[in-house]
Amino acid sequence: MKPKTKLQKEVYSLHTKLRPIPQKVYAWSKNQMASLFSVDSRYFYRCYECNHKWRGKRSNKIPNTCRCPNCNKILQHYIHEGPVIEYKHIGYVTTYKEYQLIRIIYVYKISTKTKKPFVLAYEVSQIWMNSKARATVLSRDKVSYFYNAPKWSFKPDMTIRSNKCITIRDSLLNYIYPHTKVLPIITRNGFNGDFCKYYPYALFKALLTNSRFETVYKAGYTNLLRSDDVTDDMWRIIKICIRQKYEITDVKMWKDYLDLLAYYHKDIFKPELLCPPDIKEAHDMYMARRNEEIRVEREKERLKQEYKKLNRYNNDLYVQSKAPFLGLSFTNGIITISVLNSVDEFIKEAKIMEHCVFANDYHMKPNSLIMTSRLKTKPLETIEVSLDKLEVIQAYGHNNQITKYHNDIINLVNQNMKLIKERLNKMKTKCPQKT
């Protein structure tokens, strides 16, 4: 599009006066392309760079790399047949007037067995940035794709593009030419030639506009930049590390260590905890503690599941053995006494009364019938009746204490013992004892 703003007009005017990229930059860019070799039958190797053919060593495994005896280049093994098409975008970082300039070179290479490789390199885009991080991008047209490789127009004319294209063009870069030149303000803000795996435009913009990023970069925590945004809490932590001159060697382990400290409600802003002399030892100590907790939790869960499974099994046995008595209930108008109908009711009774009716497996006793007494909805005592002697063995309330209704409960059970005897006789009739 045509330049519209004052910045775009100025950049476009400077662009027309710009000198071509030096040939040494083009040569370096071409050398970043892969050099290949293939293996024909009978262990004959063929170089894709000079088309030299030689016999390799007999081996069951073909090496990933080898050196061509003719051109002396280190080659990578290429498995597939046919031509090899490769492309890369190379960044050349320099300055022009008062602008930071990122020039993008497109390198296109076709390699075959029979011909020397065809390599084409030309400039396709430019990113101009001033000292206030305002940027403009110019580029050629992208006309089509050829063998999955983008094909840029051969016309040398570049036009102004939308600012949305800046990060897109910046992210195209595969390599950056090692000899860079930057504006004095970028050098002042800490740039030392290390891009920290950032793309040039993104790094320069952050150094010019983000004071926290600038401080972290100057402090040498370049490994931290790629793993975390500088949030308020992280910024406070980083300032403590800077004051303590603490070196973060393993960012991932250090961040895991911070998470463990937060999990255990430790003061993560305390320098003694935040900056351990041996991060691995400190991390492993808390990690071992956490792993032990997880193991205990899993063991508890496993026992809980087994406990539930056992209770289901015991409940089936209890229902089967006490089937004639289930649902039995009687009252004198004030106190109501009923049979515990399931293992779950034993568990609830034990929790309410805080005694051992469940823990001591009273539900598994074949010659005992366990009943509970209530005053309306208030629990009074738990009663054990002997099925052999048809008498009350014991009756206790909360914490194994006797209530004031104890005698009334015993009398009520004895008055209705005939109901228990009737159900007991029916059970014996259905299941006669073998002689």
Side-chain angles (χ1 to χ4, degrees):
M1 65 182 185
K2 293 181 179 180
K4 298 178 181 178
T5 66
K6 181 179 179 181
L7 177 65
Q8 290 176 349
K9 291 177 181 179
E10 184 179 358
V11 165
Y12 192 78
S13 175
L14 293 174
H15 154 73
T16 58
K17 303 173 184 178
L18 197 61
R19 290 184 178 182
I21 294 176
Q23 289 301 316
K24 62 180 181 180
V25 179
Y26 280 119
W28 183 89
S29 301
K30 292 177 181 179
N31 287 334
Q32 304 313 303
M33 310 301 281
S35 301
L36 306 173
F37 78 94
S38 64
V39 180
D40 298 339
S41 59
R42 298 182 181 179
Y43 299 99
F44 278 102
Y45 290 14
R46 187 182 294 274
C47 175
Y48 275 61
E49 294 297 312
C50 63
N51 303 124
H52 177 65
K53 185 177 181 181
W54 74 97
R55 185 157 192 153
K57 295 180 180 179
R58 285 184 170 273
S59 174
N60 293 330
K61 186 178 179 180
I62 300 173
N64 293 327
T65 60
C66 71
R67 187 181 293 274
C68 175
N70 183 46
C71 63
N72 204 33
K73 287 187 176 181
I74 297 177
L75 311 174
Q76 299 176 13
H77 183 213
Y78 179 67
I79 302 174
H80 306 286
E81 295 293 331
V84 183
I85 299 174
E86 187 184 6
Y87 71 93
K88 283 183 170 60
H89 293 86
I90 312 296
Y92 175 47
V93 179
T94 184
T95 59
Y96 189 75
K97 302 295 184 180
E98 68 274 13
Y99 285 92
Q100 182 64 54
L101 179 58
I102 303 166
R103 308 179 74 171
I104 300 175
I105 302 168
Y106 176 67
V107 186
Y108 180 78
K109 181 178 181 180
I110 301 178
S111 304
T112 61
K113 291 182 180 180
T114 56
K115 296 180 181 180
K116 290 188 176 182
F118 170 75
V119 184
L120 183 65
Y122 55 97
E123 186 180 12
V124 295
S125 186
Q126 298 172 358
I127 300 175
W128 296 70
M129 177 190 290
N130 62 16
S131 58
K132 296 181 180 179
R134 293 183 59 196
T136 301
V137 61
L138 296 91
S139 69
R140 300 190 188 197
D141 294 329
K142 189 183 289 187
V143 293
S144 64
Y145 279 77
F146 180 71
Y147 284 95
N148 294 327
K151 187 177 180 182
W152 296 85
S153 173
F154 291 112
K155 295 180 180 179
D157 299 334
M158 292 189 187
T159 57
I160 299 288
R161 303 292 175 178
S162 169
N163 286 347
K164 296 179 181 179
C165 298
I166 296 177
T167 54
I168 298 174
R169 297 292 184 267
D170 192 40
S171 62
L172 289 174
L173 298 179
N174 302 105
Y175 298 101
I176 299 173
Y177 183 67
H179 302 290
T180 59
K181 185 179 179 182
V182 297
L183 293 175
I185 189 173
I186 296 178
T187 304
R188 186 206 69 181
N189 286 10
F191 181 71
N192 56 8
D194 185 4
F195 286 93
C196 309
K197 299 182 181 179
Y198 272 79
Y199 295 114
Y201 168 75
L203 178 65
F204 296 155
K205 182 179 179 181
L207 286 174
L208 292 172
T209 59
N210 191 330
S211 59
R212 291 183 176 182
F213 188 96
E214 176 189 345
T215 302
V216 172
Y217 186 91
K218 285 180 177 179
Y221 293 145
T222 56
N223 51 359
L224 185 63
L225 294 175
R226 296 303 299 179
S227 63
D228 208 337
D229 293 326
V230 186
T231 59
D232 291 340
D233 285 343
M234 183 56 67
W235 175 239
R236 186 178 171 187
I237 289 171
I238 289 171
K239 287 194 295 184
I240 295 172
C241 292
I242 292 173
R243 286 196 296 269
Q244 298 294 321
K245 298 181 180 179
Y246 183 68
E247 182 181 0
I248 304 172
T249 54
D250 190 330
V251 173
K252 188 176 184 304
M253 184 180 293
W254 184 69
K255 286 185 83 271
D256 288 343
Y257 171 69
L258 293 184
D259 292 340
L260 287 168
L261 290 178
Y263 176 81
Y264 287 112
H265 305 288
K266 301 292 184 180
D267 184 5
I268 60 174
F269 303 112
K270 189 176 181 180
E272 291 80 3
L273 288 176
L274 188 59
C275 308
D278 189 341
I279 181 63
K280 187 177 186 307
E281 181 182 352
H283 172 272
D284 291 349
M285 180 185 71
Y286 281 99
M287 198 69 240
R289 177 180 171 182
R290 180 63 184 138
N291 287 336
E292 180 63 19
E293 290 178 356
I294 293 173
R295 186 193 67 79
V296 171
E297 288 174 4
R298 289 179 178 175
E299 183 65 16
K300 286 182 178 179
E301 183 64 25
R302 184 186 68 80
L303 292 175
K304 184 178 179 181
Q305 295 301 324
E306 290 184 359
Y307 189 65
K308 287 182 177 179
K309 185 177 179 181
L310 179 62
N311 284 345
R312 285 196 297 269
Y313 175 73
N314 291 340
N315 186 70
D316 293 340
L317 292 179
Y318 177 76
V319 170
Q320 185 179 0
S321 62
K322 300 295 190 299
F325 305 101
L326 300 183
L328 176 62
S329 177
F330 42 82
T331 181
N332 62 0
I334 299 173
I335 299 171
T336 302
I337 297 176
S338 58
V339 174
L340 295 178
N341 295 314
S342 66
V343 174
D344 286 340
E345 291 189 8
F346 275 84
I347 296 173
K348 292 177 182 178
E349 185 79 5
K351 287 182 178 179
I352 294 171
M353 307 299 282
E354 295 185 359
H355 53 42
C356 57
V357 69
F358 175 72
N360 285 352
D361 294 332
Y362 278 85
H363 57 282
M364 299 299 292
K365 292 185 176 183
N367 297 320
S368 292
L369 182 65
I370 308 301
M371 311 179 79
T372 183
S373 58
R374 295 283 192 275
L375 180 63
K376 294 184 179 179
T377 58
K378 180 184 177 181
L380 295 176
E381 293 182 358
T382 306
I383 310 141
E384 180 184 5
V385 176
S386 172
L387 296 178
D388 290 336
K389 299 180 180 181
L390 290 177
E391 62 181 22
V392 176
I393 299 176
Q394 58 179 334
Y396 290 106
H398 188 265
N399 280 330
N400 288 323
Q401 301 296 317
I402 294 175
T403 66
K404 64 180 181 179
Y405 299 97
H406 178 74
N407 293 330
D408 295 334
I409 292 169
I410 300 297
N411 292 333
L412 183 58
V413 174
N414 289 331
Q415 291 171 8
N416 291 276
M417 193 66 72
K418 59 183 179 180
L419 298 177
I420 299 174
K421 186 176 180 180
E422 287 175 3
R423 285 165 171 73
L424 181 62
N425 291 335
K426 287 181 181 179
M427 185 174 67
K428 291 180 177 179
T429 303
K430 290 182 180 180
C431 303
Q433 295 181 355
K434 294 183 180 181
T435 59

